[in-house]
């Protein structure tokens, strides 16, 4: 009986792999992909699932956030568990009544409120949020901006920042949230900035900075971009589609 062998075809686009983590030039063995690439795909898919169901380490984060000498508020959306959160996105956009009561006791009318929400990857927050805040918060304070309570939100989505900041009477919200994991990254954070936040705003009212992680948009660069947009937002008194990120462009 003849021995059947499969030869992995060489990929002419292999040189592009050094520029991206995307799945390109994975090769072929007969009519299928090579075993190694197949196993790597399954592992990445498992990492993505784990990220979606990961839990924010609120106790550790609360302890570490104490270094910024700001009140730390533990809040929760109307989605009381992960299954509910995934099935009912609308519930993740609103704080529950207990959280509203807690916010009512903290009204200070600060310039900025920072909302830290688990989103779809609490792993991202657990791993990267402190490094980002250690760069960002000193920049905001050095610019003379009043930073209000740091809000840790479980089962939260982006829009929950509108309600939280509105309740605290803050002029601007910065929501730092775990992004939907992909098959090349399960630990990405997103930053969403909204001027004059209030319930009912649409996505076009916010600015977004995405893929914040060591293997994507670096922590220091992300902090610079957030700080730039915060300054521009206060200067122009707006956010969203009318506020462009022109940082670093020629002639800016």
């Amino acid at each position: 009986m003849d021995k059947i062998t499969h030869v992995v075809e060489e990929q002419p686009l292999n040189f592009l792999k050094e520029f991206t983590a995307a799945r390109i030039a994975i090769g072929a063995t007969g009519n299928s992909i090579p075993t190694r690439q197949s196993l790597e795909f399954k592992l990445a898919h498992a990492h993505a699932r784990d990220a979606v169901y990961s839990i924010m380490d609120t106790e550790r984060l609360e302890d570490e956030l104490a270094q910024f000498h700001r009140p730390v508020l533990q809040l929760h959306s109307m989605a009381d568990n992960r299954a509910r959160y995934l099935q009912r996105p609308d519930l993740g956009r609103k704080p529950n009544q207990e959280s509203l009561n807690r916010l009512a006791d903290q009204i200070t009318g600060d310039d900025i409120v920072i909302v830290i929400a688990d989103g779809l990857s609490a792993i991202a927050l657990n791993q990267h949020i402190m490094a980002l805040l250690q760069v960002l918060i000193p920049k905001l304070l050095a610019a003379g901006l009043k930073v209000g309570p740091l809000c840790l939100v479980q089962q939260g989505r982006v829009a929950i920042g509108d309600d939280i900041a509105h309740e605290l009477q803050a002029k601007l919200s910065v929501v730092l949230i775990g992004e939907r994991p992909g098959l090349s990254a399960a630990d990405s954070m997103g930053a969403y900035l909204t001027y004059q936040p209030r319930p009912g705003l649409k996505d076009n009212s916010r600015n977004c900075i995405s893929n914040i992680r060591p293997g994507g948009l670096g922590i220091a660069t992300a902090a610079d971009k957030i700080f730039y947009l915060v300054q521009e937002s206060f200067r122009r008194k707006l956010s969203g589609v009318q506020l462009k990120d022109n940082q670093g462009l020629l002639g800016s």
Side-chain angles (χ1 to χ4, degrees), residues 88-160:
R88 290 284 305 274
D90 57 312
L91 297 181
R93 300 184 183 115
K94 295 288 183 181
N96 64 14
Q97 189 58 53
E98 182 180 351
S99 296
L100 290 173
N101 295 340
R102 192 166 298 161
L103 291 167
D105 295 331
Q106 294 287 334
I107 297 173
T108 56
D110 294 298
D111 294 319
I112 299 172
V113 63
I114 295 177
V115 176
I116 302 163
D118 48 8
L120 289 168
S121 177
I123 287 176
L125 278 302
N126 292 337
Q127 293 181 353
H128 309 313
I129 190 62
M130 291 307 303
L132 178 63
L133 293 178
Q134 285 166 350
V135 180
L136 177 61
I137 290 180
K139 286 178 176 289
L140 299 174
L141 296 177
L145 295 168
K146 292 177 60 180
V147 178
L150 305 175
C151 302
L152 288 171
V153 182
Q154 296 184 66
Q155 314 297 358
R157 294 184 182 269
V158 173
I160 201 169

Side-chain angles (χ1 to χ4, degrees), residues 11-180:
Q11 295 298 307
L13 300 180
N14 273 337
F15 73 97
L16 292 176
K17 288 185 176 181
E18 65 179 292
F19 304 109
T20 178
R23 295 181 182 281
I24 61 172
I26 60 176
T29 302
N31 294 325
S32 184
I33 65 175
T35 300
R36 177 179 176 179
Q37 283 72 20
S38 176
L39 293 174
E40 287 176 347
F41 178 88
K42 292 177 181 178
L43 179 61
H45 186 263
H47 284 320
R49 287 180 59 86
D50 287 346
V52 169
Y53 287 96
S54 59
I55 299 172
M56 186 161 60
D57 191 349
T58 53
E59 291 187 8
R60 176 181 66 82
L61 290 177
E62 183 171 9
D63 289 342
E64 294 182 354
L65 289 171
Q67 66 187 270
F68 300 115
H69 307 291
R70 296 286 181 282
V72 178
L73 304 182
Q74 296 269 8
L75 306 175
H76 205 290
S77 76
M78 294 178 65
D80 53 5
N81 57 58
R82 200 58 174 174
R84 191 79 164 156
Y85 171 83
L86 295 173
Q87 295 167 0
R88 290 284 305 274
D90 57 312
L91 297 181
R93 300 184 183 115
K94 295 288 183 181
N96 64 14
Q97 189 58 53
E98 182 180 351
S99 296
L100 290 173
N101 295 340
R102 192 166 298 161
L103 291 167
D105 295 331
Q106 294 287 334
I107 297 173
T108 56
D110 294 298
D111 294 319
I112 299 172
V113 63
I114 295 177
V115 176
I116 302 163
D118 48 8
L120 289 168
S121 177
I123 287 176
L125 278 302
N126 292 337
Q127 293 181 353
H128 309 313
I129 190 62
M130 291 307 303
L132 178 63
L133 293 178
Q134 285 166 350
V135 180
L136 177 61
I137 290 180
K139 286 178 176 289
L140 299 174
L141 296 177
L145 295 168
K146 292 177 60 180
V147 178
L150 305 175
C151 302
L152 288 171
V153 182
Q154 296 184 66
Q155 314 297 358
R157 294 184 182 269
V158 173
I160 201 169
D162 296 338
D163 290 62
I164 291 171
H166 182 72
E167 290 293 328
L168 293 172
Q169 298 180 11
K171 299 179 181 69
L172 182 143
S173 67
V174 175
V175 177
L176 304 172
I177 190 168
E179 291 187 316
R180 184 187 306 276

Side-chain angles (χ1 to χ4, degrees), residues 200-235:
L201 292 178
K202 303 300 183 183
D203 288 341
N204 64 350
S205 300
R206 319 181 223 283
N207 289 84
C208 174
I209 299 171
S210 187
N211 196 30
I212 302 172
R213 61 187 180 92
L217 183 66
I219 297 297
T221 301
D224 284 343
K225 283 187 172 293
I226 296 170
F227 181 61
Y228 167 81
L229 287 173
V230 166
Q231 288 185 304
E232 287 295 289
S233 184
F234 276 113
R235 183 178 70 85

